[in-house]
Amino acid sequence: MGIRQTDVIVVGGGPTGLVLASELALGGVAVLVVERLAERSGQSKALNLQPRTAEVFDLRGLLERTRKYALGNWGSGHFGGRPLSYEGWQTRHPYQVAIPQAGVERALEERLAEQGVPVLRGHDLVGFTQHDTGVTATVRTAAGESEIHARYLVGCDGGRSTVRKLLGVGFPGTDASQFAFVADVVFGVLPAAVPTRMRSVQDAIARERTAREKTGRRGTGGLIPLGEQGLFRLVFNDPDARAGDQATPVSEDEVKAAIRGLYGEDGEIAEVRWASRFSNATRQVDRYRVDRVLLAGDAAHIHFPAGGQGLNLGVQDAMNLGWKLAATVRGHAPTGLLDTYHAERHPVGARVVDNTRAQTLPTDPDPETRAMHGLITELARLPEANRYLAGMVSGLDIRYPVDGQDHPLLGARLPDLELPTHWTSTLFHPGHGVLLTTDPRHLATAGPWSDRVHAVAVADLPLPATAVLARPDGYTCWLALPETPHLSATDQLETALQTWFGPENP
Ligand SMILES: Cc1cc2nc3c(=O)[nH]c(=O)nc-3n(C[C@H](O)[C@H](O)[C@H](O)COP(=O)(O)OP(=O)(O)OC[C@H]3O[C@@H](n4cnc5c(N)ncnc54)[C@H](O)[C@@H]3O)c2cc1C
C-alpha cells in the first residue's frame, strides 16, 4: 500500500478540479489531482466559455492557450432561447468562446503539466477520514487501494460526487421533470435547413417542423457545428420522455427521429459518435465546506444546462476558492477567509439554479405559462432588461459583499483596463492581489504585503475612483474615491490589506 503526502487533494479532473489545482499551485501549495478515468474521454458536454470565464482565463494568461481548441466566438448568449447582448458590460470579451469542454480540459492539463502538478489518472476516491490536522483519502487503482494524506481535500468530482455523499451534507432541490439528450452526429448528407455557420446559439435552435404522427417526436433543440467536416452536436429536449427512460442508452433511431422532427427528411447520418441523456434535476448543497473538506463545481450544484452556465460556474467556484485555500495552507490567511468561499459562492450558485429553472418553463405549456413566455420574450428585448439577463447568465454581474463602503464597483469584477503599457489583466498573472493607485504614497502602505499584492502607481485610473485594490480572483475589495482624504484612504487601505491578505510581513 503506497502512501503519499500533499497539502491539498483535488478529487476530479474536470474543468473545476483542473482550474482549482492550477490556482493552488500558483498560490505556492503542494497539490495533486485524483481522477477516476484512466484516460480522458474526449467527450464534451459544455461548448462555451462565458465572457466572465474568458476574463478570468485572461487573468492567468490562459485564454490564448485555450483558443487553440476553440471553434470561434458566438456573438451573443441566450436566456431560454432569447438573444442576449454582452455589449453593455465593459468587457473585452462581449461574446462566448465556442469551445468543446474537452478542449478546455486539454488546455488546463497542459498548464498543470508546466506547473508540475500530478494528475493521477485511474485513481478513484472511495473514502476519506478527517482529523484535527488533515484528511486521509483512500483511492482505488488497478493495483489496489492506497492512502493519501493531505491538509485539505476538495471534491470537484461532478454531479454524482462521492465526496459529497461521504460528507453527508444536505443536497436539497427538485427531481427531474424535463428530459433531454445530446448526441454528436456525423452527417453523410446534411439536412438543407441546418445552419453550417453559427454566430450565436440562437442560430442552432430549431422547433419541430413535421407533424407528430409523421416523426413520432415532438420537441425543441438544434444542431451545432463542431468544426470537423459533417460533425454536429444535437441537443434535443423531449417533452414525451419519462424518468424511467433515463437509464436506457440513446438509440440511433431516436437520434434520427429527433433530427427529422427538427429539420425535415433530407439528411443522412453516417455515424453517431456518442449520446447521453440529461435532465432538469436541480439541487445545491447547503454547505460548501465541512472543516477540511470542501466542494466545488457540479459536486456542489446541478441544474439543467440552460444558457451554458455549469462549466463556467465551476470555474468561478475554483477561482474563488483557490487563492483563499492557498493562503490558509500557507498560514497567512486572515481569520475567516476560507469561510467566505461558502458565503460568496452559495448565493451565486443559488442564483444560477434559479435562473435555469426560469429558463425551463415547460415548452408545451398551458395558456398561462404561454402568456408568461411571451411576456419574458418582450421584456428581454428592452435594453436594460437584456443587459440584466446577460450579466446574470455570463457571470459578469457577480458582486461579493464588502463591509463598509457602498459603491457599485466595490465587490464587483475589476474590468480589464488599458494602462499606458499593458492591460491590467496581465498584472494578475502571478495570482497576487493588485493595487492600482494614482497616489504613489499608497505604494509604501502596501509595501509590507508585496509578497501578496502587486502595487502599481498610475497617472490616471479610468474608473470613478483614485485607487482600487483587487483580490487575486479579480474582484475589488477597496476603493478610494476622489473625495476621500489621503489619511483616511491610507487607513482604509491598510485595513483592507489586513482583511483580505492577512498580517503584514515583519
Ligand atoms: C448535455 C450537457 C450540456 C452542457 N453544456 C454546457 C455548456 O454549454 N456550458 C456550460 O458552462 N456548461 C454546460 N454543461 C455543464 C458542464 O458540463 C458541467 O457543469 C461541468 O462539466 C462541471 O465541471 P466539473 O469539473 O465540476 O465536473 P465534471 O466535468 O463532471 O468532472 C468531474 C470529474 O471527476 C471525476 N470523478 C468522479 N468521481 C470521482 C471519484 N470518486 N474519484 C476520482 N475522480 C472522480 C470524473 O471522472 C470527472 O472527470 C452541460 C452539461 C450537460 C449534461
Side-chain angles (χ1 to χ4, degrees):
M1 180 185 282
I3 296 183
R4 290 183 76 143
Q5 182 87 39
T6 189
D7 287 329
V8 181
I9 302 167
V10 171
V11 184
T16 307
L18 297 174
V19 170
L20 179 63
S22 180
E23 286 297 289
L24 288 165
L26 197 61
V29 307
V31 52
L32 57 79
V33 179
V34 295
E35 166 55 52
R36 172 187 280 163
L37 297 179
E39 286 174 22
R40 194 151 284 300
S41 74
Q43 294 163 357
S44 293
K45 294 180 284 185
L47 291 180
N48 70 329
L49 299 181
Q50 294 280 356
R52 181 58 188 152
T53 311
E55 287 186 344
V56 300
F57 276 24
D58 247 356
L59 294 183
R60 298 294 181 258
L62 266 171
L63 185 60
E64 288 318 308
R65 170 194 294 264
T66 309
R67 277 194 200 281
K68 271 196 306 192
Y69 304 111
L71 307 171
N73 295 334
W74 291 329
S76 62
H78 74 100
F79 182 86
R82 299 161 189 96
L84 297 178
S85 164
Y86 301 117
E87 291 295 340
W89 279 97
Q90 200 190 348
T91 173
R92 291 177 64 200
H93 309 291
Y95 51 79
Q96 299 193 36
V97 181
I99 178 168
Q101 183 164 334
V104 177
E105 291 168 357
R106 259 177 89 178
L108 292 169
E109 279 201 51
E110 287 168 12
R111 166 59 65 91
L112 284 182
E114 288 164 10
Q115 291 177 298
V117 175
V119 178
L120 305 179
R121 295 199 153 274
H123 281 60
D124 190 2
L125 177 114
V126 292
F128 62 80
T129 51
Q130 294 206 56
H131 43 91
D132 284 351
T133 54
V135 185
T136 300
T138 306
V139 290
R140 188 174 294 150
T141 66
E145 286 191 0
S146 59
E147 287 186 348
I148 307 174
H149 299 287
R151 297 178 60 192
Y152 289 87
L153 179 144
V154 188
C156 304
D157 49 343
R160 299 194 173 141
S161 169
T162 306
V163 176
R164 182 185 70 228
K165 288 173 193 156
L166 292 171
L167 209 49
V169 288
F171 195 38
T174 44
D175 291 334
S177 59
Q178 292 181 36
F179 304 95
F181 65 77
V182 285
D184 284 356
V185 178
V186 183
F187 283 94
V189 179
L190 195 62
V194 175
T196 48
R197 248 194 89 239
M198 272 186 51
R199 288 147 302 153
S200 71
V201 178
Q202 289 76 43
D203 289 350
I205 296 172
R207 283 193 176 268
E208 58 180 323
R209 289 157 52 97
T210 46
R212 184 173 187 199
E213 310 77 60
K214 206 168 168 193
T215 65
R217 294 197 87 75
R218 299 179 302 148
T220 55
L223 283 166
I224 301 172
L226 292 184
E228 194 185 311
Q229 179 70 29
L231 179 64
F232 282 74
R233 157 69 51 89
L234 170 68
V235 184
F236 187 68
N237 300 327
D238 183 353
D240 298 323
R242 296 287 163 262
D245 308 333
Q246 291 307 290
T248 317
V250 181
S251 72
E252 198 163 317
D253 283 348
E254 254 180 295
V255 172
K256 284 180 176 164
I259 292 171
R260 274 201 309 275
L262 295 169
Y263 293 102
E265 300 279 350
D266 52 338
E268 195 183 294
I269 294 172
E271 184 192 350
V272 178
R273 289 222 176 133
W274 77 282
S276 174
R277 296 185 197 279
F278 62 100
S279 76
N280 68 339
T282 302
R283 296 182 178 277
Q284 185 185 21
V285 287
D286 49 21
R287 294 174 71 183
Y288 279 36
R289 176 185 178 196
V290 179
D291 303 325
R292 290 178 174 274
V293 178
L294 300 105
L295 295 165
D298 277 16
H301 33 69
I302 56 166
H303 52 80
F304 201 72
Q309 302 175 84
L311 177 151
N312 292 271
L313 184 61
V315 168
Q316 309 293 336
D317 283 350
M319 289 296 294
N320 186 290
L321 176 57
W323 65 279
K324 295 174 182 173
L325 185 53
T328 305
V329 169
R330 293 190 63 195
H332 56 69
T335 312
L337 182 70
L338 194 53
D339 285 324
T340 65
Y341 170 59
H342 171 95
E344 292 182 346
R345 292 306 297 172
H346 189 279
V348 172
R351 194 150 177 255
V352 172
V353 157
D354 274 352
N355 89 46
T356 57
R357 284 191 163 118
Q359 291 187 71
T360 45
L361 279 175
T363 50
D364 200 12
D366 50 61
E368 289 78 13
T369 315
R370 203 157 40 237
M372 181 57 90
H373 272 297
L375 190 59
I376 296 171
T377 302
E378 280 172 36
L379 288 174
R381 288 195 195 111
L382 301 176
E384 195 48 36
N386 196 280
R387 182 180 181 277
Y388 178 88
L389 293 172
M392 182 170 68
V393 169
S394 63
L396 289 169
D397 75 350
I398 292 169
R399 268 186 82 192
Y400 299 129
V402 177
D403 284 344
Q405 298 159 288
D406 184 23
H407 189 282
L409 186 58
L410 194 63
R413 64 190 241 286
L414 180 67
D416 198 1
L417 307 171
E418 189 169 14
L419 301 177
T421 53
H422 48 258
W423 294 93
T424 48
S425 54
T426 58
L427 301 174
F428 289 86
H429 286 186
H432 295 162
V434 170
L435 172 67
L436 297 173
T437 179
T438 55
D439 183 346
R441 291 171 293 181
H442 288 150
L443 301 189
T445 311
W449 285 269
S450 60
D451 58 332
R452 285 157 275 166
V453 176
H454 185 24
V456 178
V458 289
D460 278 316
L461 200 52
L463 293 173
T466 52
V468 60
L469 177 66
R471 318 181 321 184
D473 56 356
Y475 289 87
T476 70
C477 55
W478 171 76
L479 296 176
L481 300 175
E483 61 274 16
T484 316
H486 169 71
L487 271 184
S488 46
T490 302
D491 281 353
Q492 290 167 9
L493 173 59
E494 215 170 286
T495 306
L497 287 162
Q498 275 158 359
T499 304
W500 293 102
F501 297 95
E504 62 188 87
N505 272 333

